[in-house]
Amino acid sequence: MAVTKIIKIDDKDVTFKASAATPRIYRNLFGRDIFKDLSKLEKDIGKTGEENLDMFSLEMFENLAYVFAKQGEPDKKFNTPDEWLDQFSTFSIYEILPELISLWGMNVQQQEESKKNFQRLTEK
C-alpha cells in the first residue's frame, strides 16, 4: 500500500507518494539506487548542518522530489524534473527534504509491517 503526503510548496499543495514501485521508477529514470541516495542525503544534511549541500546532492533531491510528485500527481503533465520544478518560484529544499525523507520512512515501515503480518499468516 502506498503512502501519500501533501506538502505546501510556493503556496501550492503538492501530493507526494511513495510505494513499492518508487525504487524501480527512480532506477529506471535516473539509473541510481534510491536507498543509497536517500541515505547520502540524510548524512549530508546531518553533517553539514543546513544549507550547504553540494550540487550532486541538490540534484538528487530534485530527482527524488520529482519521482514522489509524479507518483502523487499522475494527472499532472510534467515529464522531467526541470518541468516539475518550473512550476514553482524558489523554495528551500531544507524544509521539503525532511518531509520527503519522512514519507519514505513511513513507506518502508509499512512494507516491513506487511511482511511481518504475511509471515505470521503463513506460519500457521
Side-chain angles (χ1 to χ4, degrees):
M1 180 184 240
V3 178
T4 61
K5 188 173 205 173
I6 296 172
I7 302 171
K8 191 172 284 294
I9 300 176
D10 197 25
D11 291 327
K12 295 177 186 178
D13 287 336
V14 180
T15 303
F16 292 93
K17 176 180 169 184
S19 71
T22 304
R24 180 181 175 88
I25 294 167
Y26 187 81
R27 185 176 58 250
N28 286 340
L29 287 173
F30 306 109
R32 299 191 49 80
D33 183 324
I34 194 170
F35 296 100
K36 289 180 183 178
D37 287 356
L38 275 166
S39 178
K40 180 180 177 352
L41 284 172
E42 284 181 293
K43 288 177 189 171
D44 286 353
I45 284 185
K47 72 180 176 187
T48 62
E50 292 236 356
E51 303 186 23
N52 200 16
L53 294 178
D54 61 28
M55 294 303 283
F56 183 69
S57 294
L58 292 172
E59 187 173 342
M60 277 193 298
F61 160 76
E62 294 161 351
N63 292 344
L64 288 164
Y66 168 73
V67 169
F68 289 142
K70 185 105 171 125
Q71 284 186 269
E73 300 180 328
D75 54 325
K76 298 277 175 89
K77 301 296 181 209
F78 43 82
N79 296 313
T80 66
D82 292 341
E83 288 178 14
W84 179 73
L85 287 166
D86 200 34
Q87 67 181 314
F88 308 108
S89 61
T90 58
F91 61 90
S92 173
I93 72 161
Y94 302 97
E95 293 174 11
I96 307 303
L97 182 56
E99 297 288 333
L100 296 181
I101 290 171
S102 169
L103 172 69
W104 183 248
M106 289 186 296
N107 179 61
V108 170
Q109 181 181 10
Q110 190 174 48
Q111 289 177 11
E112 289 172 358
E113 289 172 14
S114 293
K115 286 179 188 176
K116 288 178 188 175
N117 289 337
F118 180 74
Q119 285 175 343
R120 278 188 231 130
L121 289 173
T122 57
E123 288 173 355
K124 293 181 179 183

